[in-house]
Amino acid sequence: MPAGPGAATDAPLPEPEELQAAVDAAVAHPWVGTSVGVVVVDQLTGELVAAASPDVPREPASTAKILTAVAALRTLGPDRTVETAVVQEAPGRIVLVAGGDVMLAAGAGDPTATNGRAGLADLADQTARALALAGTTEVALGVDESVFSGPAVSPGWFPTDVSLGFVAPVTPLQVNIAKTREEPYPPRHADPTLHAAGVFATLLGERGITVTGTERRDAPEGAGRIAAVQSAPVRDIAEYVLRTSDNTVSEALGRLVAVEQGLPGSFEGATRAILAEVERLGIDVTGAALADASGLAAGSLLSSQQLVDVLRVASLDPALRTVVVDLPVAGWEGTLGDRFAEGPGRGLVRAKTGSLTGTTSLAGSVVTVQGRELLFAVVADETPPGGQLGPRRVIDALVQQIAGCGCPLP
């Protein structure tokens, strides 16, 4: 199996003593607090290069999304798409059947996009044509969201997580991830499904089909499908989750994994399904726990070793390798776009960030100045008050040292 981008299979390993000294200094730094786990391994051989408390479960924050992405690719497959359909249960009665696509476009779909690949305008075009052929100009609209179940908001989320737009209620039918305006963290629609259904009803009206009412109801068995649109493939959705760290999309992806495994499409079903899939990869999940599929809720626990184990298994599996390759690139894109602006890590670190109150984490791959690919995870879950800046500076300095910088810690 080839090493990562820019890596050389015959490049020397860094000196373990030097890296261990750097790890020890980072762990002792007051800015990262008193609970820090670190693991650095060779991607090719799995050889441990440096570590600190590697097996202690800690709050992973959004690095947990690595597990969700791996589970989705394993369970659903990279080419799977999510369908949003319209069925006719009787003359004048149609049901909009949600499949779990939370990135529908309000207008036409964009075949080059991930968010907005499937468009409600395209679905309305197909529906209006089918109804017109049957001579129907007036319908009652039902909305079937039975693919997901349980609460739409996790009890482990703070109320401000929703009100500030960090996540939307997890429903299986959403337009643009339920955003009320186009920015990274805008307020979200309180009921994303009914909002999307309202957009669809308006689109039908513009096409000559009057909608007399909208209600939640399950589509009956045997109802004929008259229209359908498909999301971006799972590989693209997983990449979107890793690069943007979008909590809502990650939660939807986790529920789709659960449904595919025959479990409820709920928080509990998703977390059970993700950990079960990871365990099937041969990874020891002793002590691991997931409170949700995004890492936003309090109560998730993963060790640095488990994060690195998942990364290494993914790096060695052609079907999962994109999980490592699609991580944000330091100094360039996604959640690492404004980090590692200088130094040897720039462009050669690919990692998933994690940020919660009291928790700062980073897990991914780094190509050293000698050209060797290493995998690493750093999780600090008892950081002192003061926000993310201090812990990030220590963690980023450590990763720069792993890459070969040798810069002193701040």
Side-chain angles (χ1 to χ4, degrees):
M1 178 70 199
T9 58
D10 59 349
L13 270 174
E15 194 63 43
E17 291 80 5
E18 292 181 10
L19 281 192
Q20 187 62 55
V23 167
D24 292 342
V27 168
H29 200 290
W31 289 359
V32 294
T34 57
S35 176
V36 188
V38 182
V39 175
V40 184
V41 306
D42 180 34
Q43 183 271 334
L44 282 174
T45 67
E47 178 183 345
L48 182 67
V49 181
S53 302
D55 298 317
V56 177
R58 292 181 171 86
E59 188 85 53
S62 280
T63 57
K65 291 183 174 77
I66 294 170
L67 277 68
T68 301
V70 166
L73 289 169
R74 280 267 300 179
T75 302
L76 302 169
D79 298 322
R80 175 77 71 86
T81 58
V82 181
E83 181 177 88
T84 305
V86 176
V87 300
Q88 183 168 273
E89 57 181 340
R93 289 177 64 83
I94 63 173
V95 181
L96 176 58
V97 182
D101 188 352
V102 298
M103 294 191 283
L104 291 160
D110 181 350
T112 67
T114 299
N115 183 13
R117 177 72 61 93
L120 284 181
D122 300 322
L123 193 65
D125 286 340
Q126 296 176 39
T127 303
R129 282 196 298 269
L131 293 172
L133 287 173
T136 301
T137 59
E138 186 175 283
V139 295
L141 176 64
V143 186
D144 183 342
E145 55 181 349
S146 60
V147 66
F148 289 176
S149 58
V153 175
S154 168
W157 295 345
F158 293 111
T160 51
D161 290 333
V162 177
S163 64
L164 296 178
F166 296 131
V167 69
V170 187
T171 69
L173 182 76
Q174 301 188 18
V175 171
N176 190 23
I177 326 175
K179 293 181 179 182
T180 57
R181 56 179 180 264
E182 195 51 55
E183 58 186 66
Y185 298 111
R188 310 291 178 126
H189 292 284
D191 189 332
T193 291
L194 284 188
H195 167 256
V199 172
F200 184 64
T202 298
L203 291 166
L204 286 179
E206 293 171 353
R207 288 154 177 79
I209 305 297
T210 300
V211 176
T212 59
T214 301
E215 65 175 356
R216 286 183 166 91
R217 65 174 184 268
D218 293 352
E221 289 188 20
R225 189 178 71 169
I226 61 174
V229 290
Q230 304 292 332
S231 73
V234 165
R235 73 164 66 85
D236 292 349
I237 298 172
E239 177 185 352
Y240 186 93
V241 166
L242 293 171
R243 292 195 174 173
T244 66
S245 201
D246 190 283
N247 295 306
T248 311
V249 181
S250 188
E251 293 297 339
L253 202 54
R255 292 190 184 209
L256 292 172
V257 171
V259 171
E260 185 71 12
Q261 291 188 14
L263 295 169
S266 61
F267 284 109
E268 182 181 1
T271 55
R272 285 176 56 196
I274 292 165
L275 282 179
E277 197 62 61
V278 169
E279 189 170 23
R280 277 191 282 271
L281 288 169
I283 294 169
D284 184 358
V285 296
T286 301
L290 293 177
D292 60 11
S294 62
L296 181 62
S300 291
L301 291 171
L302 294 171
S303 70
S304 300
Q305 187 66 60
Q306 287 164 338
L307 285 167
V308 165
D309 287 345
V310 173
L311 286 168
R312 183 155 191 272
V313 168
S315 75
L316 296 173
D317 186 336
L320 302 176
R321 177 65 172 161
T322 54
V323 171
V324 181
V325 174
D326 290 339
L327 292 171
V329 178
W332 181 38
E333 64 181 358
T335 54
L336 282 188
D338 60 351
R339 294 168 67 174
F340 299 91
E342 299 177 350
R346 185 173 186 267
L348 293 178
V349 173
R350 296 170 182 262
K352 182 70 202 73
T353 56
S355 303
L356 290 174
T357 301
T359 297
T360 305
S361 55
L362 192 68
S365 71
V366 55
V367 178
T368 69
V369 290
Q370 292 86 15
R372 191 81 175 196
E373 183 180 13
L374 305 178
L375 302 174
F376 70 90
V378 186
V379 181
D381 68 347
E382 292 183 9
T383 59
Q388 294 290 327
L389 182 59
R392 283 180 183 173
R393 286 184 64 188
V394 176
I395 291 172
D396 290 1
L398 172 61
V399 175
Q400 292 279 32
Q401 289 176 300
I402 295 171
C405 172
C407 300
L409 289 170

